[in-house]
Amino acid sequence: MRDHDRYREDLAPYALGALTELEHSALERHVMGCEECARELEGLRRTVDLLPAAVPAHAASPELRASLMATVRAEADAARVAEASPATAPVRAEPRRSWRDRLRIAVPRPALALAAAAAVAVASVGGYSALDDEPAPVAPTSVAASVDRARLPAAQASLDATGDVGVLRVDGMPNLTGELRYVVWVDRGDGPEYATSFNVRPDGSGTAGVPDVDGVRRVMVTRERTTAVDAPTEQPVLTVALG
Amino acid sequence: MGTQRDLRSLADEDLMALVQRGEPDAFEVLYDRHADASFSLAYRMVGTRPAAEDVVQEAFLAIWRSRVRYRSDRGSVRTWVLGIVHHRAVDGLRRHLVHDRRRGGDSETAELREAPERTDLEVVRRDEADRVRTALGSLPEDQSRVIELAYFGGFTHAEISGMLEMPLGTVKGRMRLGLDKMRRELQEAV
């Protein structure tokens, strides 16, 4: 009974998200076996769920939408192709053309999907690639990054670009902890400009949407303690040259 | 897959079914529907536009990648989405990701949203927002303070106890009293 009273005291902090992880887990275990606490918690949660309505309204930026949807669409395309074809689809390299020439090609969505899957399938990210059996025209959309091997010995990265939207794909990168974040910068010739930030999954892979790559000469990634910095505080750990 | 116009006429739960099949167009509509509320919540919590955008981006990517986990019997899509945004913001605050930036907030993001379309749903949401603000505002300050520090500040009950130099049991009790009072107010207002 004493335990029950103690857990009951924790229901409000739990609903507000104010317990530590350990306390949170312990309370969840109790609630699973206690009908009275489960009922009370439900009522508290319904009230807490309304709290977001109390905040002043602000509009999310179009850049955020563009960045997010660039990543989502790239992942959806890659997943669709992965479902439809074997993961080890044959690939071939094409003669290198300028990045801007490649972006000018209008890519129908199925072709983009195949190209995205090929980019995923080629673990070495050796530049750009296309499926052998893809009908022409095939638009290679992936540009490989140069990586600072001293700091990221296992990293691979490439930028897939369609029109003005780019998606940076990385693999083999350390998952950052604490305050550190990977920050993506774009350089149009007049210095680095903040584009977005990201972290990788525990397996070291990740994607970041870069909403506007038009006119960009270099895309760079640095590790920063805060995303409020105006300029990189270290040399890039990876760079994609687009010029 | 329907057109954007068709998709925009769907209820959240129907959209979510398409999202769960991996349809990015449906996800885009879902994002548009909840982006401002998500950003507003994140901004209230972390205090600056770049940090709030990080939170929203991470939250929606998590939503996209864990879309199969959504279950309609556990609550509305909006509640699920805002819960994930809240969780990500708390996570960021506790990792001190935005520690140095949330104190004062940045002035360039002080703009309020322009009036959106007066759809029926928007009217309902504005009405709900008014009721929730009134209920929160009507609480004694010692109760609203612990609720705001916990929910919007991301502080644990132990941290709040230390900050306010108040016994842990008192903090928990005030959270409970405040939420109970809000619930009664909101029930009466319906």
Side-chain angles (χ1 to χ4, degrees):
Chain A
M1 192 61 193
R2 183 171 292 173
D3 267 359
H4 170 79
D5 290 343
R6 185 167 58 81
Y7 283 123
R8 195 166 168 266
E9 266 196 348
D10 280 348
L11 290 174
Y14 174 90
L16 287 162
L19 294 182
T20 62
E21 276 183 39
L22 274 179
E23 294 166 333
H24 184 100
S25 304
L27 186 76
E28 280 190 339
R29 280 195 299 275
H30 171 76
V31 169
M32 280 176 72
C34 178
E35 211 170 294
E36 186 188 342
C37 283
R39 206 169 35 247
E40 280 195 47
L41 181 59
E42 185 56 28
L44 290 165
R45 264 185 174 154
R46 282 179 197 278
T47 307
V48 170
D49 286 345
L50 291 169
L51 287 174
V55 304
H58 292 273
S61 72
E63 291 80 13
L64 172 61
R65 183 182 193 272
S67 170
L68 174 74
M69 287 312 302
T71 305
V72 166
R73 288 191 186 283
E75 290 188 7
D77 285 340
R80 217 171 357 246
V81 174
E83 266 179 31
S85 61
T88 52
V91 296
R92 64 175 165 82
E94 285 205 341
R96 190 175 182 89
R97 285 177 288 172
S98 81
W99 174 78
R100 192 149 298 289
D101 284 346
R102 280 181 264 139
L103 290 193
R104 285 200 189 101
I105 298 174
V107 189
R109 180 129 332 252
L112 172 63
L114 287 165
V120 170
V122 182
S124 63
V125 197
Y128 41 87
S129 56
L131 292 175
D132 272 336
D133 54 356
E134 175 64 8
V138 174
T141 56
S142 182
V143 181
S146 63
V147 178
D148 182 342
R149 293 287 165 211
R151 287 179 291 169
L152 297 180
Q156 296 169 341
S158 64
L159 184 84
D160 295 347
T162 309
D164 289 345
V165 176
V167 177
L168 185 70
R169 300 176 187 283
V170 301
D171 206 355
M173 304 257 286
N175 181 260
L176 297 180
T177 55
E179 302 170 18
L180 280 173
R181 300 273 297 164
Y182 290 110
V183 172
V184 182
W185 307 90
V186 292
D187 181 6
R188 293 183 170 82
D190 49 2
E193 182 188 331
Y194 175 91
T196 187
S197 70
F198 69 101
N199 197 359
V200 297
R201 303 180 193 100
D203 68 359
S205 68
T207 50
V210 186
D212 182 10
V213 290
D214 186 35
V216 169
R217 295 181 184 176
R218 291 186 304 160
V219 175
M220 297 158 290
V221 174
T222 61
R223 300 162 301 183
E224 306 292 346
R225 293 205 173 277
T226 167
T227 51
V229 287
D230 295 326
T233 60
E234 65 170 6
Q235 288 298 310
V237 290
L238 61 88
T239 304
V240 182
L242 302 175
Chain B
M1 191 195 325
T3 64
Q4 281 277 321
R5 191 172 178 177
D6 292 336
L7 290 171
R8 287 185 192 284
S9 67
L10 293 179
D12 274 0
E13 278 64 26
D14 298 327
L15 266 181
M16 199 58 212
L18 295 174
V19 171
Q20 288 186 312
R21 282 164 36 189
E23 296 289 351
D25 287 345
F27 182 80
E28 191 170 39
V29 173
L30 196 78
Y31 171 80
D32 286 345
R33 206 170 275 178
H34 302 294
D36 286 354
S38 298
F39 180 76
S40 301
L41 174 61
Y43 180 66
R44 167 69 177 81
M45 294 178 71
V46 301
T48 67
R49 178 172 282 276
E53 291 195 340
D54 283 352
V55 166
V56 173
Q57 170 130 332
E58 282 186 12
F60 273 89
L61 279 178
I63 288 164
W64 168 250
R65 288 168 183 164
S66 62
R67 56 192 180 271
V68 293
R69 291 191 205 150
Y70 170 72
R71 284 180 48 186
S72 58
D73 59 335
R74 290 188 183 169
S76 71
V77 171
R78 190 175 182 81
T79 298
W80 183 64
V81 166
L82 292 174
I84 291 172
V85 171
H86 180 259
H87 182 80
R88 290 277 161 172
V90 169
D91 198 39
L93 288 168
R94 290 190 184 164
R95 280 186 290 129
H96 302 291
L97 192 65
V98 288
H99 173 77
D100 55 342
R101 296 196 279 145
R102 65 172 160 159
R103 301 280 179 234
D106 51 5
S107 56
E108 88 268 15
T109 52
E111 89 274 15
L112 284 174
R113 180 173 57 176
E114 288 178 16
E117 287 177 39
R118 299 283 296 179
T119 61
D120 290 348
L121 186 60
E122 196 57 44
V123 172
V124 169
R125 284 191 180 145
R126 283 182 179 200
D127 185 44
E128 179 183 89
D130 286 344
R131 288 191 293 111
V132 176
R133 273 189 216 114
T134 303
L136 190 60
S138 69
L139 295 181
E141 203 208 331
D142 56 4
Q143 292 172 16
S144 62
R145 198 165 181 206
V146 292
I147 288 174
E148 292 197 14
L149 283 170
Y151 188 79
F152 295 118
F155 294 103
T156 65
H157 58 120
E159 288 171 329
I160 296 169
S161 165
M163 286 162 67
L164 302 182
E165 297 177 339
M166 192 183 284
L168 209 51
T170 307
V171 171
K172 293 178 186 180
R174 286 179 179 175
M175 286 176 177
R176 160 66 73 121
L177 285 171
L179 290 177
D180 283 345
K181 187 166 189 294
M182 273 191 78
R183 181 171 43 179
R184 285 196 301 276
E185 292 257 340
L186 290 166
Q187 279 170 348
E188 283 168 17
V190 171

